[in-house]
Amino acid sequence: MNSVPSTLAAANRFERGAAVLRAVSGTEHPEALDSLADIAPDLARLTVEFAYGDINARPGPTLPQRQLATVAALAALGNAMPQLRFHIDGALNVGCAPGEIVEVLIHVSLYAGFPAALNALTVAREAFRARPDIDFTPTTVSAATDRFDRGRTTLSAVDGHAGEQVIAALADIAPDLGRYIIEFGFGDIYSRPGLDLRSRELATVAMCTALGTAAPQLKVHLHGLLNVGGTRAEAIEVIMQMAVYAGFPAALNGITAARAVFAERDERGGGGRE
Amino acid sequence: MNSVPSTLAAANRFERGAAVLRAVSGTEHPEALDSLADIAPDLARLTVEFAYGDINARPGPTLPQRQLATVAALAALGNAMPQLRFHIDGALNVGCAPGEIVEVLIHVSLYAGFPAALNALTVAREAFRARPDIDFTPTTVSAATDRFDRGRTTLSAVDGHAGEQVIAALADIAPDLGRYIIEFGFGDIYSRPGLDLRSRELATVAMCTALGTAAPQLKVHLHGLLNVGGTRAEAIEVIMQMAVYAGFPAALNGITAARAVFAERDERGGGGRE
Amino acid sequence: MNSVPSTLAAANRFERGAAVLRAVSGTEHPEALDSLADIAPDLARLTVEFAYGDINARPGPTLPQRQLATVAALAALGNAMPQLRFHIDGALNVGCAPGEIVEVLIHVSLYAGFPAALNALTVAREAFRARPDIDFTPTTVSAATDRFDRGRTTLSAVDGHAGEQVIAALADIAPDLGRYIIEFGFGDIYSRPGLDLRSRELATVAMCTALGTAAPQLKVHLHGLLNVGGTRAEAIEVIMQMAVYAGFPAALNGITAARAVFAERDERGGGGRE
């Protein structure tokens, strides 16, 4: 098991945060530094110090991985469009490909519904159009004929036993919902190219943590993240990051889910490599 | 107990979905088919196939009933106004009366608060005004003097024993909240004409499932739906439908609530007619 | 223990509500009375009667305290901007200082994330600018060097043993999250001037109740409210108020948390003075 990243130096939080914010905003003098001057200048300082200097500067997930997690969470929440735009721009600024961002937003449909995905894609379109350096052609995949088999294979790789249990538990009450999870969720969405399974699970952990309404699914997908090569430290980092975007209760409840999942894996004896 | 609707044919999902989408959008060539062409064309296909071909085409609730459930859920979520507008238009296109839509949105105030209801009514006003074929005059009911008695009678019809328990449990800590639920919730809102109790409970199940923050209330109102003549199959259908509008975790957690409610009713021996 | 406020007279609900609405809206003829005339006139009446005549007219928290709780909740929900604007104006109309409103919105960042706080501040800025009578200069506090010690002292005053337990429970899985809660949550935010601890905890109870995703934190901060001089009756009032802004399920689940917290305190024998 990787250790949780060590504590960053308490000094220089503002400078460290400002450097990260410059990278994300793609400008030497980010607007965020001044935008609250007339109403809450301290919150601008606290944003730089805490959101960027404490959290986004932490080791573990890279800045592009962190931006994709933030984009997924804000898209799922659906109530913070200015920040979603800022972080889609931010993802592009730190090197995410437009296609990765689009795949994350398609993935959002599974966990927060189609309206959340569609509204976020509207924001992404505006972000892409505002950048002459972006030359984006969407990937298309044709409709598959083996959706069920492909989905079953992917579900097994991601969720293993826990995923099988979810499907089995639906058999007596809503079997078609189980079939849709396999066919649509895993056969159509998870199996798409352009975003690897580890990135999909990082986005899923971010979304389920931020939404705060999906505790059982958060546990299934913490297992999923670890099953596809993610680490416990990564999981903790993404959950902690959600304190910035959805508040401390969301992060604390996410940690509670992680503690339970880690204990389950320790009991099974399979956690040694995480 | 009605059986859960059988699986739709896996083939022709796109054609079946496109037909439903044409009915909902009221046009031969729905804009949704092209609107994502530049950024995520596959998501347009997946929307047609899954949201319309798999889910909204299912047997059980009629298309107007499904539209009202979607309108209730999107109004309660409050963060997907373009889709709320689309589905208010859709409800009109499949034959819902404007008055029914307004009643559903007034009903939303109980489960998601007045702001959610008021903002959704603003969207409904725009939708109605854009249609010269709509000639809508709102129904008004005068303030009742027997709100408590009327509310108590309606509460008893809808929630039976479970409703009485909710009120009784408030007696020692917030008795006035219990009184408001009877007087305002059931005396003022549930007793209004223009939307029958079964439709109110379908909307309530849709909202509580989509919000994901109202598990105890979802159980009370699954009982309520079954108490006023709804079926188990209807309940499952509306919960599954929420996978489209609020994501799979919302639907899965709704199914968990339904499983518990069905088991309670089986134990009591009263579920034979559902 | 203060008794729960007694039942208001059932008669004159409309007149009582209209008087409160006039105070909040700052006008003799509030727009809300007519704004639904064309689509749902009864909901306007029900808003006056229930939201203002039943709830906001209740004894206990003052109208300014109630407005700040509503502002906090709507900012945290992040999906009802017209109502957030109305109630920021309302807070000013009933005598809240602009600085108090800003402090509440900075406080929101802890419980609903920075995007929620930032978007609410954008609304506050518009509200302040629209009023020539408002001459607001923001307070700034310089970055502290003793954030940890200050935070630890404030955490101890607010959350006592429960707060220590939250931090201790993080030690083996996400110790830095515990440190951030102390340093940023309590050292930076809770220790700011301009809003006393009791008002911060009232806002926190309002937010956690309205969000509906923070049950463990709602319990910790119900203890917190009572620890810093708030009363059980105040806690119940703020929770009931959320029925208006987030729906009855949110209020009912908040009452469930309050019942558990009151029982814990009764067992400890410390509740006699609340």
Side-chain angles (χ1 to χ4, degrees), chain B residues 200-233:
Chain B
R200 289 187 184 277
E201 289 302 81
L202 276 174
T204 302
V205 167
M207 282 189 277
C208 290
T209 301
L211 286 170
T213 51
Q217 292 75 33
L218 177 55
K219 285 162 105 176
V220 167
H221 290 281
L222 282 163
H223 278 298
L225 173 62
L226 300 175
N227 290 341
V228 298
T231 66
R232 293 187 185 195

Side-chain angles (χ1 to χ4, degrees), chain A residues 77-79 112-113 115 211, chain B residues 70-81 108 112 116 206-207 209-212 242 245-247 250, chain C residues 77-80:
Chain A
L77 289 170
N79 60 3
L211 286 170
Chain B
T70 298
V71 164
L74 293 176
L77 289 170
N79 60 2
M81 290 309 177
V108 165
M207 282 189 277
T209 301
L211 286 170
M242 294 304 111
Y245 303 103
Chain C
L77 289 170
N79 60 3

